Amino acid sequence: MHNWKKLTALALGVCLSLGVMAGCGSDKAATTGGQKMLTIGDTTFNSSNEEPDVNPHNAYAGWACIRYGVGETLIKYTDNMEIQPWLAVKWENLDELTWKFTLRDNVTFSSGRKLDAAAVKQCFEHLVASNKRAAQDLKIASMEANGMELIIKTTEPKPALLNYLGDPYGCIIDVDAGFENGLVAGTGPYIATDMKTDDHLTLKKNENYWGGTPKLDKITIRTITDGNTLANALQSGEVQAAYGMAYESYPLFRNDKYTISQISTSRCFFGKMNFDPDSVCADPAVRQAISMGIDKENFVNKLLDGNGFPANGVFPAGPAFGGDKVKAEKFDPEGAKKVLENAGWTDTDGDGIREKNGKKLVVKWLTYPSRQELPLLAESAQATLKDIGMEVDINNTADNNQVVKDPKAWDVYAMANVQAPTGDPEYWFTVFATSNATKNQGKYKNEKLDALEAQLSREFDPAKRAQLALEMQQVILDDHAFVFCSFLKMSMISKANVKNYTSHACDYYQVTADLDVE
């Protein structure tokens, strides 16, 4: 007997702390011709992060669409990662394959078209045809539009369907309005009017926004990938708010001229191992030694300046499937040396780097600069892994998405990712770890993991889903297929006269109708 009828939502329920340090600056609102304007500097709105535009059907550009107030999803997440209505006012799980959604009836796209079930159906049809990850997540078999009611049938039971529909790719856009220059017509408080990839996005107030009149007339999002440049821009007033600031710059803004909004998130710095036969990481001993040879505590305390916490498994402490409920390697340089010795990796020429069968133990470490601390993690790992006899060759490049496609070009790919952006554990495994995962560039394969995912994908009971997620984490940790280094406290910084520029646990919803400059 299925208990899907009892399903309401699968919540992350992570322990979150929200600290806001506000000042009482006397900055005046930036106005031109009586218009209120705001410029936000962002290190992550770029093609390196797979956010080349604001079309949610393109790669990960949905994050820009939802962050900057252009698009909205059927459901949204609270800061406890619980599901709540947004463009859908209610939903019903009719049977394990069928869901009925009732839409909000006072919503208009920025194109002027009224939101109804036919528009949402059209949007989702285009989404699954355009975005492999969405098609794999949603498993939509068919849809039926009746006025303001949308019925979705899935090809198999999808207990986490609600969670997936809150993913940024689920932003509802008017497909008829087109995708010219990467711009779309959404339902949010702001309308994207102009954009240049890796440079800027221009937003204007949506006068017909269903959620009330936005406070600002114009917002400019400026792509600034260098942390020092962003800090200087905020100090000089060139930008009045910043996302992705380097933690080393925070002391500059801990005063009454600025506001720092901070919240704990599931955004994790982690490394995926390359299982290509020619990679040194194809050797289980090398993967284990890397996992034992990274000093997570030092990275968090010194290089993140305490703005995070060491990671154990895939997810942070708090949810039923997170934290120390799984067993991972601890920092143990001496133990790592023994693992390598036992596997035949020895330093025969005395240069400090081990060899085996004439091959030097050189780890090609791929990462990228737009997350300001990833290069610091690379340098930290380079130092501690050298102590156990590994040479780490760092490739810190904005061309990471191309480099990772070449299995001969890297051994460890270190990246930043929000691990549970939908509030449910399944997302991470189907993106990174299962055999057919969309971003499993290291070609990791474990039949037990795939079998557990097949169970998880059909399990409606939240407690059983959590247990399966724990088992799946243990599989990948025992294989040393990934090394999880730290979770981040997400912070956004603004001038003190900028109001309601607030961090959220899911890392969305930055630009809202309430965002204001006094």
Side-chain angles (χ1 to χ4, degrees):
M1 168 116 179
H2 292 288
N3 63 350
W4 39 260
K5 287 189 176 178
K6 298 177 183 176
L7 180 76
T8 53
L10 299 162
L12 176 60
V14 67
C15 297
L16 300 165
S17 59
L18 176 62
V20 177
M21 293 175 282
C24 51
S26 59
D27 299 48
K28 300 297 182 188
T31 58
T32 301
Q35 289 198 323
K36 272 191 181 183
M37 300 188 297
L38 175 69
T39 302
I40 300 172
D42 193 324
T43 61
T44 66
F45 179 43
N46 55 51
S47 50
S48 176
N49 270 350
E50 298 184 77
E51 294 179 31
D53 52 41
V54 292
N55 170 13
H57 300 180
N58 181 16
Y60 282 78
W63 287 69
C65 186
I66 202 167
R67 275 180 174 158
Y68 306 141
V70 175
E72 299 168 318
T73 49
L74 294 185
I75 65 98
K76 71 185 303 189
Y77 309 107
T78 68
D79 281 336
N80 289 321
M81 293 305 293
E82 294 166 343
I83 287 170
Q84 63 183 27
W86 206 6
L87 292 181
V89 291
K90 63 179 180 178
W91 46 82
E92 190 178 353
N93 194 196
L94 302 179
D95 60 50
E96 62 178 13
L97 297 178
T98 312
W99 300 75
K100 182 171 77 171
F101 296 86
T102 303
L103 304 178
R104 193 175 295 278
D105 65 4
N106 60 334
V107 179
T108 304
F109 291 103
S110 60
S111 60
R113 179 182 181 181
K114 180 175 167 52
L115 176 81
D116 59 12
V120 177
K121 176 176 180 284
Q122 183 186 23
C123 175
F124 286 157
E125 286 171 344
H126 188 276
L127 169 66
V128 298
S130 310
N131 190 301
K132 178 183 176 184
R133 185 168 56 94
Q136 183 172 298
D137 291 344
L138 300 173
K139 295 285 197 302
I140 293 175
S142 64
M143 289 178 284
E144 181 183 330
N146 300 305
M148 301 305 288
E149 285 188 351
L150 177 70
I151 292 176
I152 297 178
K153 284 188 176 290
T154 56
T155 57
E156 61 188 56
K158 285 302 298 181
L161 181 68
L162 293 177
N163 302 72
Y164 281 124
L165 289 175
D167 185 286
Y169 61 51
C171 283
I172 307 303
I173 58 173
D174 177 8
V175 172
D176 284 346
F179 305 87
E180 188 174 355
N181 299 322
L183 301 180
V184 294
T187 63
Y190 286 88
I191 301 169
T193 60
D194 172 63
M195 191 210 65
K196 181 180 178 183
T197 299
D198 296 330
D199 187 79
H200 74 276
L201 171 71
T202 305
L203 305 165
K204 73 172 183 179
K205 176 194 298 189
N206 181 357
E207 299 280 3
N208 300 311
Y209 180 53
W210 64 269
T213 305
K215 303 285 195 300
L216 300 173
D217 296 290
K218 178 182 175 183
I219 299 174
T220 302
I221 309 296
R222 280 196 49 204
T223 298
I224 303 176
T225 53
D226 180 74
N228 289 331
T229 304
L230 180 61
N232 291 337
L234 184 57
Q235 284 186 297
S236 69
E238 187 180 341
V239 303
Q240 298 84 51
Y243 175 87
M245 183 74 71
Y247 290 120
E248 64 183 2
S249 298
Y250 277 37
L252 299 170
F253 305 104
R254 289 195 175 110
N255 56 65
D256 63 5
K257 295 180 181 178
Y258 300 93
T259 301
I260 301 178
S261 172
Q262 186 172 79
I263 194 166
S264 296
T265 73
S266 70
R267 183 175 290 281
C268 185
F269 286 156
F270 72 97
K272 61 175 78 170
M273 309 290 187
N274 191 347
F275 283 73
D276 184 86
D278 290 336
S279 171
V280 292
C281 287
D283 186 334
V286 172
R287 299 196 303 271
Q288 183 176 3
I290 290 172
S291 298
M292 300 169 76
I294 294 176
D295 190 348
K296 303 174 186 179
E297 296 274 356
N298 183 67
F299 173 63
V300 168
N301 294 335
K302 301 286 178 60
L303 299 180
L304 293 187
D305 194 25
N307 289 283
F309 35 101
N312 190 48
V314 180
F315 305 106
F321 48 81
D324 58 3
K325 301 178 185 69
V326 292
K327 186 178 185 300
E329 301 290 354
K330 303 299 183 187
F331 180 52
D332 181 6
E334 294 307 312
K337 291 176 186 177
K338 290 175 185 172
V339 167
L340 291 171
E341 292 280 350
N342 293 339
W345 290 97
T346 56
D347 178 15
T348 56
D349 58 10
D351 69 349
I353 305 303
R354 298 173 185 271
E355 314 96 35
K356 182 178 181 180
N357 300 329
K359 183 177 183 178
K360 285 280 189 185
L361 185 41
V362 178
V363 176
K364 297 190 286 285
W365 186 287
L366 174 64
T367 194
Y368 50 94
S370 62
R371 284 283 166 191
Q372 304 298 303
E373 286 70 35
L374 282 174
L376 300 181
L377 174 61
E379 292 168 10
S380 176
Q382 185 181 53
T384 56
L385 293 177
K386 184 177 182 181
D387 290 342
I388 64 173
M390 293 186 187
E391 180 180 328
V392 174
D393 180 10
I394 299 170
N395 182 8
N396 174 33
T397 175
D399 198 31
N400 52 305
N401 294 316
Q402 289 304 313
V403 176
V404 77
K405 293 176 182 177
D406 179 1
K408 313 300 181 189
W410 62 281
D411 300 304
V412 176
Y413 177 32
M415 61 182 300
N417 183 71
V418 177
Q419 306 291 70
T422 66
D424 180 80
E426 187 176 4
Y427 167 95
W428 188 86
F429 295 102
T430 57
V431 171
F432 292 105
T434 53
S435 297
N436 63 345
T438 51
K439 297 178 85 68
N440 182 0
Q441 298 102 332
K443 298 295 186 284
Y444 172 57
K445 182 176 176 62
N446 185 299
E447 291 181 1
K448 182 179 179 182
L449 182 73
D450 291 345
L452 289 168
E453 159 54 23
Q455 291 183 56
L456 180 65
S457 70
R458 293 170 174 266
E459 180 55 66
F460 279 82
D461 185 316
K464 291 179 181 176
R465 289 182 70 79
Q467 184 55 43
L468 285 166
L470 290 173
E471 292 179 41
M472 292 167 75
Q473 286 176 80
Q474 200 59 59
V475 168
I476 64 170
L477 290 168
D478 291 346
D479 282 343
H480 305 102
F482 301 82
V483 57
F484 302 96
C485 300
S486 71
F487 293 100
L488 294 188
K489 294 176 183 175
M490 196 66 248
S491 303
M492 290 163 25
I493 306 176
S494 60
K495 296 277 191 181
N497 65 322
V498 176
K499 303 302 176 186
N500 303 316
Y501 186 61
T502 307
S503 297
H504 294 285
C506 58
D507 209 5
Y508 317 148
Y509 321 136
Q510 288 180 13
V511 172
T512 67
D514 294 327
L515 182 61
D516 199 3
V517 182
E518 292 181 349

